[in-house]
Amino acid sequence: MTFPPRVFSGIKPSGDLHLGNYLGAIRRFVPLQKTHHCIYCVVDMHAITVWQEPEDLRRATYEVAAAYIAAGIDTKNHIIFNQSQVLQHAELAWIFNCVARMGWMNRMTQFKDKAGKNSENVSLGLFAYPSLMAADILLYKATHVPVGEDQKQHLELTRDIAQKFNNDYGKRIKDLHLDAGYFPLTEPMIAGAATRVRSLRDGTRKMSKSDAASDMETIYLLDDADAIANKIKRAKTDPEPLPEDVKDLENRPEADNLISIYAALADKTKQEVIAEFGGKGFGVFKPALAELSVSVLSPIATEMRRLVGDKGELDRILRDGADRARAIAETNMREIREIVGYVR
Ligand code: TYM
């Protein structure tokens, strides 16, 4: 069975969007519109797996939607919407909770990292989170999912769930004359120079919405030009000049991070950036990186601010996107209910 190519991806509206979200995900969503039908979701149901002040959740939901649009997502030919407006996500997630095995879920490293020593006291939703993520993707039979490296294991789980569902219900799927292999085995798209943007103060840690010990670790999408330049100026580095060969970045996590950021912002490879800056010191490289960052991020921030100032327009876009997403979701859900054997 071949599935029509369809892209799905999502971002949690929790905390403020940062450069990692932009380079690992949002920036890469844009060119895919030329080759695929794309669905980009603001995954608010994922956000509440850890406590969110209701007003913060609303603000962050609009902010992610605005970032999609400001970065260049075409909301007419593709879809953006927030997850909670399409109830079928929760419905399919429950079915997947009954397909996924405890052993699989227990292996999820992101849960272990997030729960830490507190695992008795985190929400059940946080544990079940990857099964909702599988539902997000498979509800639309998405074939490709662009994400950063941290989501790789969740996408492997999505394939395991699809495969087990296809096997468990294989006879029923055949009896109903549906295509064998009902769900696709989704391909992760983890590519480009910045699949794992790291903290500006500690090159061993991921840049993240939740873990930053100080604001200087993270460039936020809504930072102004001065803040961006200042954070880059004060980013941790080492005393060596930049190497002439990418291989020599291996044991220099901070240098590697800054080169990766530059490459992703300039749509270049790391080798191309090294060809330009190899042998030069950070005194030359950092101002160039600051200038590039500001030139790419500032117009996006300006447009995001304009959009979040017009909630009526964002509401209209999200509602329209949700209507179109729901139509696809409900068509698939009707078959899935039938496969499972629910009486309707
Ligand atoms: P979230 O909201 O944590 O992150 C959104 C996207 O940003 C990427 N990302 C990064 N990329 C590079 N460097 C970083 N430092 C960095 N930090 C975050 C993430 O990989 C992600 O692509 N579980 C998902 C949301 C989700 C989803 C989905 C994604 C829910 N359902 C279905 C794809 C398909 C998450 O928490 O992403």
Side-chain angles (χ1 to χ4, degrees):
M1 167 70 197
T2 51
F3 293 85
R6 175 175 281 153
V7 164
F8 182 97
S9 198
I11 295 186
K12 278 193 309 269
S14 57
D16 296 319
L17 287 171
H18 56 72
L19 187 63
N21 300 130
Y22 177 65
L23 295 179
I26 302 171
R27 186 175 173 88
R28 298 180 42 236
F29 294 172
V30 179
L32 288 169
Q33 298 177 107
K34 288 204 204 99
T35 47
H36 294 72
H37 180 249
C38 301
I39 305 178
Y40 296 125
C41 188
V42 187
V43 288
D44 47 7
M45 291 160 65
H46 278 89
I48 62 165
T49 54
V50 298
W51 172 250
Q52 304 293 326
E53 287 296 336
E55 275 313 314
D56 291 344
L57 180 67
R58 292 177 65 79
R59 181 197 53 74
T61 301
Y62 286 121
E63 188 180 304
V64 176
Y68 285 159
I69 300 165
I73 304 303
D74 166 358
T75 59
K76 289 212 171 60
N77 292 310
H78 301 272
I79 295 178
I80 73 164
F81 74 107
N82 60 310
Q83 186 183 25
S84 61
Q85 291 207 55
V86 179
L87 301 179
Q88 287 81 351
H89 286 253
E91 185 181 0
L92 185 57
W94 181 258
I95 295 174
F96 286 172
N97 283 348
C98 302
V99 172
R101 304 290 92 185
M102 287 295 285
W104 301 356
M105 305 302 284
N106 276 325
R107 282 195 283 278
M108 293 295 115
T109 53
Q110 199 165 76
F111 174 77
K112 289 185 209 165
D113 291 347
K114 287 201 170 167
K117 292 197 186 79
N118 199 22
S119 66
E120 289 292 303
N121 203 29
V122 294
S123 75
L124 178 57
L126 189 68
F127 185 71
Y129 176 120
S131 148
L132 175 60
M133 180 161 161
D136 300 338
I137 296 165
L138 296 174
L139 188 53
Y140 304 95
K141 299 191 181 181
T143 53
H144 295 86
V145 180
V147 283
E149 203 178 280
D150 60 342
Q151 297 300 316
K152 187 163 182 258
Q153 196 185 32
H154 292 157
L155 292 182
E156 284 160 5
L157 182 90
T158 300
R159 291 166 68 97
D160 289 342
I161 290 177
Q163 191 138 41
K164 184 159 164 47
F165 182 98
N166 289 345
N167 287 341
D168 289 354
Y169 292 103
K171 180 168 179 311
R172 177 83 174 163
I173 291 168
K174 200 162 151 232
D175 290 349
L176 290 169
H177 305 291
L178 295 167
D179 292 310
Y182 182 77
F183 286 123
L185 299 185
T186 303
E187 294 289 335
M189 299 176 112
I190 301 172
T195 55
R196 186 181 166 81
V197 176
R198 282 151 285 169
S199 154
L200 296 180
R201 306 295 301 166
D202 177 353
T204 63
R205 291 201 304 125
K206 191 180 75 167
M207 188 177 281
S208 113
K209 294 190 203 118
S210 44
D211 299 341
S214 105
D215 263 6
M216 297 309 287
E217 292 196 45
T218 310
I219 293 178
Y220 296 102
L221 275 195
L222 287 174
D223 276 348
D224 61 26
D226 286 349
I228 294 173
N230 193 28
K231 286 176 185 184
I232 291 174
K233 192 168 160 199
R234 293 177 54 190
K236 186 175 167 203
T237 48
D238 55 42
E240 303 295 317
L242 288 162
E244 310 273 353
D245 192 320
V246 216
K247 278 197 223 83
D248 298 326
L249 286 171
E250 249 165 47
N251 295 316
R252 299 176 62 186
E254 284 85 13
D256 184 45
N257 193 33
L258 296 183
I259 295 280
S260 303
I261 292 172
Y262 190 104
L265 285 169
D267 292 323
K268 289 186 171 163
T269 62
K270 286 202 274 182
Q271 189 58 57
E272 284 168 328
V273 180
I274 288 289
E276 197 177 335
F277 291 98
K280 300 198 172 116
F282 287 99
V284 174
F285 179 68
K286 278 183 166 180
L289 177 60
E291 193 183 314
L292 175 64
S293 304
V294 169
S295 74
V296 174
L297 300 178
S298 285
I300 296 175
T302 305
E303 180 62 1
M304 279 174 71
R305 282 193 205 95
R306 189 190 69 75
L307 286 161
V308 293
D310 187 356
K311 300 274 181 343
E313 174 67 358
L314 284 179
D315 281 334
R316 195 193 58 70
I317 291 171
L318 290 173
R319 221 174 292 126
D320 171 65
D323 288 346
R324 287 184 287 138
R326 195 180 305 109
I328 304 169
E330 180 55 19
T331 304
N332 291 335
M333 236 14 258
R334 268 197 209 119
E335 289 177 352
I336 296 164
R337 292 180 198 119
E338 193 68 28
I339 292 171
V340 169
Y342 287 160
V343 172
R344 306 291 293 178

